[in-house]
Amino acid sequence: MSEPELHRFGYQQELRRTMTVRDLVVYGMVFMVPIAPFSIFGSVFDGSSGMVPLTYVIGWVAMIFTAISYREMSRAFPIAGSVYSYAGRGIAQPAGFLAGWAILLDYLLVPTLLYVIGAQAMANVVPGVPQWAWIVLFVLLNTLINLRGIETTATANKVFLYAQLLVLAAFVVLAVIGISRGSGGAHWSGTPFFNSAEFSPSLVFGALSIAVLSFLGFDAISTMSEEVTGGSRVIGRATLLALTLVAVLFVVQTYLAALLVPGKTQFESDDAANNAFYDISNLIGGRTFEIVVALAVAIGTAIANSLVAQAATSRLLFSMARDGQLPRFLRHVHPVRRVPEKAILLVAGISLVLGLFLVGQIALLSSLVNFGALFSFLLLHVSVVSHYLFRRRDRNFGLHLVVPLIGFVIIGYVLVNADIHAKVGGLVWLAIGVLILVFFKVTGRSANLTPAEGEPAPGEKQSS
């Protein structure tokens, strides 16, 4: 979208437009972490009775509906802010604030969680260095990269992605050789995709809850809407492409890994499940390759994934501050590097404080980060129906009613069955957001989000 088009929404072009479709796909893939199954393979294996690749296929199908809703809203409103902007203009300003506030919980805690995971992984590689020192190092490195500008961030994303893909390629080659040689009794089979003895509808729904959460992060692509080149369709195209590419990588690596633990549907203990992928790596490549995999997990989470998470969170803070929904200082953009400098520094500060305070608390952080994203996805699907069917009088019922309805049901199911800590923490966070909305209303600070030219403002009825 060009600068004149951005003016239709009441904004000026402040961020630098250099991101291409390729940059966005890399950004999204790094956020989702192509080697994510390395660290959670065992738990997904136990939850799916060994059918891990089937779980990721189900997850991809489930999240496609949400990705399509993102694509449709990014075309209607190609501006920074992601679901905050979409719900605020597609439904009404209060809905936008709650969507932004909800996903902010996810975005603020994700970098912290990743730093803590990375620090724990590095403690196993270099036990003499305390975990808090790794957290400080990771935060400083990512902040410096993000402050240098979006071009530097995009370049770093490519380096980190290629490094992960290189390790993944090595795993695939070694795994294929190991299976062909029968290492540990391994043999080629379709059982990881479908095991009739273990398959059941309840298992599918249980796998759905696991799989959907594995794909969270593709939505962050939409936070880059004001830094892309090539028009409003770029965001949606990159979102679907990144989601599909990562799904393929997830399925391939977990299929090969599952074949290397033949005859199993459960691991003997939590410790065995946690170390499952590392043990498999040792089986096919020895101790050296096991260390390489552990380092790849640490770097992929604490540096690569956290880097894009910090960038996405700062853009959301920038967008909400620009509309007066958060303190105005967060809308500050560096005059040369054209990045939301103060928002980046705030995210770094929060991540550092929480990371040092919650060292080792991976389970607690994991239970909290998902609620915000899932709740905001619900409002995203509602915004598609509200904007296209009710405001624009569009009659594409398949794309603008059936798709968001299926997406809403899937996300709703996962949210209802979420961990109790996630629901309690998430509802408390939302309650705080509602109180802030009431304060805005009482003090007359509610934002008037400007729609595109020729369309009614959120909440207005379109004249017939």
Side-chain angles (χ1 to χ4, degrees):
M1 185 174 67
S2 64
E3 185 171 349
E5 289 177 307
L6 189 59
H7 286 166
R8 292 187 300 150
F9 297 94
Y11 304 128
Q12 294 182 355
Q13 183 66 49
E14 297 180 80
L15 305 178
R16 180 171 292 159
R17 289 190 179 277
T18 59
M19 300 281 280
T20 63
V21 172
R22 181 181 178 184
D23 292 330
L24 291 173
V25 170
V26 170
Y27 178 88
M29 291 180 70
V30 170
F31 207 128
M32 286 181 279
V33 188
I35 58 172
F38 282 15
S39 58
I40 61 172
F41 174 79
S43 59
V44 180
F45 187 95
D46 286 347
S48 61
S49 296
M51 290 176 277
V52 187
L54 174 64
T55 298
Y56 284 111
V57 171
I58 292 172
W60 174 76
V61 172
M63 295 313 292
I64 277 292
F65 296 100
T66 298
I68 292 174
S69 288
Y70 263 103
R71 182 191 68 185
E72 294 304 296
M73 293 308 288
S74 69
R75 290 176 176 178
F77 304 107
I79 52 182
S82 185
V83 70
Y84 157 72
S85 297
Y86 304 154
R89 288 170 171 81
I91 307 173
Q93 182 273 327
F97 176 83
L98 283 180
W101 183 256
I103 207 166
L104 195 57
L105 175 64
D106 177 25
Y107 281 9
L108 286 175
L109 289 180
V110 161
T112 302
L113 171 62
L114 298 173
Y115 291 135
V116 170
I117 290 175
Q120 185 157 311
M122 290 305 296
N124 292 326
V125 178
V126 190
V129 179
Q131 292 188 36
W132 65 262
W134 290 114
I135 291 175
V136 172
L137 177 63
F138 294 147
V139 171
L140 288 176
L141 178 60
N142 284 344
T143 302
L144 288 174
I145 294 174
N146 271 317
L147 286 175
R148 286 185 61 83
I150 195 62
E151 300 97 329
T152 304
T153 303
T155 300
N157 287 339
K158 291 174 185 175
V159 172
F160 291 133
L161 177 63
Y162 297 155
Q164 290 182 58
L165 293 179
L166 185 62
V167 174
L168 180 55
F171 171 80
V172 169
V173 171
L174 291 172
V176 169
I177 294 173
I179 295 167
S180 300
R181 291 178 174 175
S183 298
H187 60 277
W188 295 104
S189 166
T191 302
F193 279 105
F194 184 77
N195 184 347
S196 58
E198 298 291 335
F199 186 85
S200 68
S202 61
L203 182 140
V204 172
F205 286 115
L208 176 64
S209 298
I210 300 170
V212 165
L213 300 180
S214 298
F215 286 100
L216 293 183
F218 72 91
D219 51 288
I221 292 175
S222 62
T223 64
M224 297 289 142
S225 290
E226 292 179 34
E227 293 164 271
V228 301
T229 60
S232 60
R233 294 180 178 271
V234 170
I235 292 291
R237 192 179 308 137
T239 299
L240 289 170
L241 187 55
L243 182 65
T244 301
L245 288 174
V246 166
V248 171
L249 296 178
F250 284 176
V251 170
V252 169
Q253 63 191 278
T254 56
Y255 171 64
L256 294 174
L259 291 177
L260 287 161
V261 284
K264 285 183 180 288
T265 56
Q266 299 283 320
F267 286 102
E268 299 79 11
S269 64
D270 289 342
D271 187 58
N274 291 336
N275 293 309
F277 211 99
Y278 302 119
D279 292 339
I280 292 170
S281 299
N282 191 307
L283 173 68
I284 61 176
R287 173 61 178 166
T288 299
F289 187 62
E290 180 184 355
I291 293 175
V292 169
V293 168
L295 286 172
V297 170
I299 294 171
T301 54
I303 299 180
N305 196 352
S306 297
L307 178 70
V308 294
Q310 185 183 44
T313 308
S314 65
R315 270 61 177 183
L316 176 61
L317 293 173
F318 162 78
S319 184
M320 295 182 73
R322 182 173 60 181
D323 292 331
Q325 305 297 283
L326 290 176
R328 291 283 185 181
F329 77 90
L330 293 172
R331 66 166 296 172
H332 172 78
V333 174
H334 192 279
V336 177
R337 294 188 292 270
R338 305 284 289 277
V339 294
E341 185 179 41
K342 294 182 180 178
I344 290 173
L345 291 172
L346 178 63
V347 176
I350 292 174
S351 298
L352 181 60
V353 172
L354 291 179
L356 294 176
F357 182 71
L358 296 171
V359 169
Q361 301 296 314
I362 295 177
L364 175 61
L365 284 167
S366 298
S367 69
L368 294 174
V369 298
N370 299 318
F371 182 94
L374 295 174
F375 181 83
S376 68
F377 289 171
L378 292 180
L379 290 179
L380 168 73
H381 290 302
V382 173
S383 69
V384 172
V385 177
S386 173
H387 176 72
Y388 282 100
L389 295 188
F390 293 101
R391 293 179 54 215
R392 291 185 54 177
R393 310 296 185 185
D394 184 281
R395 289 298 175 261
N396 189 340
F397 294 109
L399 194 57
H400 299 142
L401 179 61
V402 176
V403 167
L405 180 60
I406 295 174
F408 186 94
V409 171
I410 291 171
I411 298 303
Y413 170 82
V414 176
L415 192 57
V416 168
N417 290 278
D419 181 87
I420 185 64
H421 296 98
K423 288 189 279 192
V424 171
L427 289 173
V428 169
W429 179 260
L430 284 180
I432 295 172
V434 171
L435 291 176
I436 294 175
L437 267 180
V438 172
F439 173 76
F440 283 167
K441 184 70 174 177
V442 171
T443 58
R445 288 181 54 190
S446 297
N448 180 23
L449 303 183
T450 307
E453 220 171 79
E455 294 183 351
E460 286 185 16
K461 292 182 179 179
Q462 181 169 318
S463 58
S464 56

